[in-house]
Amino acid sequence: MPLDTKTPIPTSFRVVGTRPLRPDGIDKVTGRARFGADMWAPGMLVGRILRSPHAHARIRKIDISKAQALEGVKAVVTRADFKAQDGDLADILDNVMAGKKALYDGHAVAAVAAVSAAVARKALSLIEVDYEILPHVTDVDEAMKPGAPLLHDGMITAGVEPAPTKPSNVTRRHEFGHGDVEKGFKKADIVVEREFKTEATHQGYIEPHACLATLSPDGVAELWVCTQGHFMVRAVCAGLLGIDISKLRVTASEIGGGFGGKTTVFIEPVALALSRKANRPVKIVMSRDEVFRATGPTSSASMRVKIGVTKDGRITAADGEFRYQGGAYAGSPVEFGAMSAFACYDLENVRAVGYDVVCNRPKQAAYRAPGAPISAFAVESVIDELAKKLGMDAIDFRIKNAAKPGTKSSYGPTYGEIGLITTLEEAKKHPHWKAPVKPGQARSMACGFWFNFGGQTCVSLNINVDGTCTLAVGTPDIGGSRASMSLMAAEELGIPYESVRAIVADTSSLGYNDVTDGSRTTFATGMATIFAARDAIKKLCGRAAQIWGIPEDAVVWEKGYARPSGANAGSFEPLSLADIAKSSGNTGGPIAGHTEYNAEGAGVSFATHIVDAEVDKETGRTTITRYTVLQDAGKAVHPSYVEGQFQGGAVQGIGWALNEEYIYGKDGRLQNAGFLDYRIPVASDLPMIDTKIIEIPNKGHPYGVRGVGETSIVPPLAAIANAVSAAAGVRLTQLPMSPPKVLKAIEEGARKGH
Amino acid sequence: MSQVHVTAKINGDTTEYLCEPDETLLDVLRNRLGLTGAKEGCGTGDCGACSVTLDGRLVCSCLVLGAEANGREVRTIEGMAHGETLHPLQRKFLEHAALQCGICTPGFLVAAKALLDKNPDPSETEIRYWLAGNLCRCTGYDKIVRAVQDAAAEMRKG
């Protein structure tokens, strides 16, 4: 790291931690902001994709001749129009456009570009696909059974020694942990072991995927797209189309939500292929039905968790098996699920085994803390049951076993400064935990963990002659990051927040940036912004030294001014950033600061959620009546948007716990591919979501920032399951806890005499 | 299919356009008139991102035909601010950080304005039920409801 990272974390801030209006706000409240589907180009065609109606089918032949002959059709593409791939891009290509087999209902098999949507629709109906329908499997347990329909010939489970001799749908086995769990269970006085299942849920962003592509015969291409990572889009598309990376310029539009679901490509390579063939711009906008059937929901899962405790409430061993189905291709988030499963606890003996399983479903995509909410649901349910068996307060039991600074985590590393116990203590003190529980309701809680990430980041900060700054970042602004970047730049430079304009630069105007994901942007891009500002400050001090005719090291930067410093510096009036910028043309030209680096030092974060739930025992319907989030943000750069992340994560978790699920028919087709039947929480389903921001600074960031976006969705599934179980009088082990399931559990519980 | 000639008042301006008989008002606004503030989130009236008012009544423009607007008055998000002055709802959405990604924001604002035009003093429950047709996946609705409450209070003061 060429820049100074050793500066201590400030204890007080001037603008960081305040709540200014976001710089892109007026565009968004006036309808002026341009999202994925809002762009238009001269001569633009409409692109549409034909999708498989079968869950599993061999594609014998595709006849596009009739579609091609239709008036107004300018291009038809199939798999043959893409460059053959191996390695990481092979599965991505196969998912973008099916090859020999369609692996799920909704798998793309061909696409057209036409002069209008009506002509494109007609053309799709004229494409003849000869399918040989194959047996399918959509459930993870069924897919793991011997004799299950195999999706990929010759898939041998990785991570098993010796390697299996027979192919299966299990792509990989993972194992994490330390100590000796068998020995640990022998020391336990009470052991609870349970099986759990969860259904796949969709990220449910309101903006369907959309892009506008232009690819000329000379290979020069432009792409406008709603994505969480336009550099990723560039790399993947250039590979799939066989064009030079430098010839493809990708501009990230405003993005209407992603939550991990826009960290991959679906339509972008297809639009480029159609544009190349038609030699005209092509826009593809997915319908909501396509979003559900052909983009990534998260995994469904089947799990077993076993935890043992002594009578005084100390955990002696924890063991879990996590089986995640991740759709038609390898890569479910089971590794993160298994790693994070027991991460909240200080454990001597722990083991987490994960199985990554393929099924005839759309390939899963990241969904906010990928994998972690699922395993936390199972683990925190067992923890809740143990606390009840011990007769201990749920929070006290967790505090007794909680991970703290110096704990060896269940997935390997030893924790530095972490805030789990603080979130638990704050929860215990919170008016919500102390308030009497209303009649007919039950209260419970759960904890959650997320790693947070750094990654490749590049930022440029240009000082303008009028004393303002333009900050170019390469991470799309998905929830207010322009505001937090502007705050950090302004803080470091000592200028007003309003004097910084943050823009999301296109792929040709800035160095490579990883995707906006893993709660990395405020941490990594924020750190890069601070370092870019420090780089600019160094240059500003140099210019002041030049103006004053003194050595550079005799100038310091304080609160937005260059000042002479030291015995021999002489006496000069301080120069403001604006003063120095104004004369920059005479002192060496424009001034800018840059950072290019691979960010490290992301601090893990923890949250504790408290929930009150009411279950109608006649209908099985659950109402959430009160909800509180307590989470460690490290440092909340813009507290309003941190609260918003907490609230949004909690509500997505409420949907996941109670209502949202992918429902498949016996034919392997998705039954509820629309917002009417896949119902995400609406305003009338919810109470206000109370929040408490806790700030335990992350020493890996100059301002102490941790990520905040993901951790907030980890505890809700378990917290709600614990509350619903308490209210229903029977332990719920399957998500979603939709009314029929809750009713069934209550009836079965009554039969067993609960 | 021959196109239909339509004359409508859109955000106060008399506007003429041709559209297909089966074309939605949302497609007309976005593709023919360049008013892309209304968004298509679902195309089936389930998400509210395309909310506009038709003769003062809140509708999902994806469920209305472009031809149906003939002789009627359409108001969209683009007509909500008066020159430089934002509508109090727009201002309060900014002040309360009641938007994150912003895709649902135009629909929420149009819907909330329709509510306050009808009922200047709605309860929290009334706000939540009125806005139940508008999906937001980012905010958890807390800040949106508070922004609407605050705007209503300010507007009542005049």
Side-chain angles (χ1 to χ4, degrees), chain A residues 22 25 29 37-38 202-203 206 208 255 257 288 367 640-641 643-644 647-648 652 660 680-681 683 686 688-689, chain B residues 30 36-37 39-41 46 77 90 94 97 99-101 103 109 128 132 135 137-143 146:
Chain A
R22 59 194 282 165
V29 299
D38 298 338
H202 197 274
Q203 296 83 349
I206 307 302
I255 172 170
R288 180 53 56 179
Y367 181 15
S640 297
Y641 287 100
E643 290 160 2
Q647 291 163 333
Q652 287 185 333
E660 295 178 37
I680 70 173
L686 299 160
M688 293 292 189
I689 310 293
Chain B
R30 291 181 55 83
T36 56
K39 306 298 179 189
E40 179 160 340
D46 298 317
I77 187 64
Q90 291 173 308
L94 288 177
L99 60 147
Q100 282 172 31
C101 79
I103 193 88
L109 287 165
R128 286 186 180 276
L135 301 181
R137 192 60 156 172
C138 296
T139 63
Y141 305 102
D142 184 301
K143 291 180 189 300
R146 287 177 201 276

Side-chain angles (χ1 to χ4, degrees), chain B residues 70-131:
Chain B
N70 195 32
R72 300 170 78 178
E73 185 174 5
V74 179
R75 288 209 164 258
T76 73
I77 187 64
E78 285 91 346
M80 200 159 173
H82 288 284
E84 283 190 335
T85 312
L86 293 179
H87 186 277
L89 276 163
Q90 291 173 308
R91 198 157 32 75
K92 290 298 176 190
F93 264 57
L94 288 177
E95 287 172 10
H96 284 265
L99 60 147
Q100 282 172 31
C101 79
I103 193 88
C104 68
T105 309
F108 266 98
L109 287 165
V110 169
K113 183 173 178 295
L115 168 64
L116 299 189
D117 286 348
K118 248 170 84 93
N119 176 2
D121 191 9
S123 67
E124 182 193 330
T125 304
E126 284 170 328
I127 293 171
R128 286 186 180 276
Y129 276 91
W130 183 269
L131 296 179

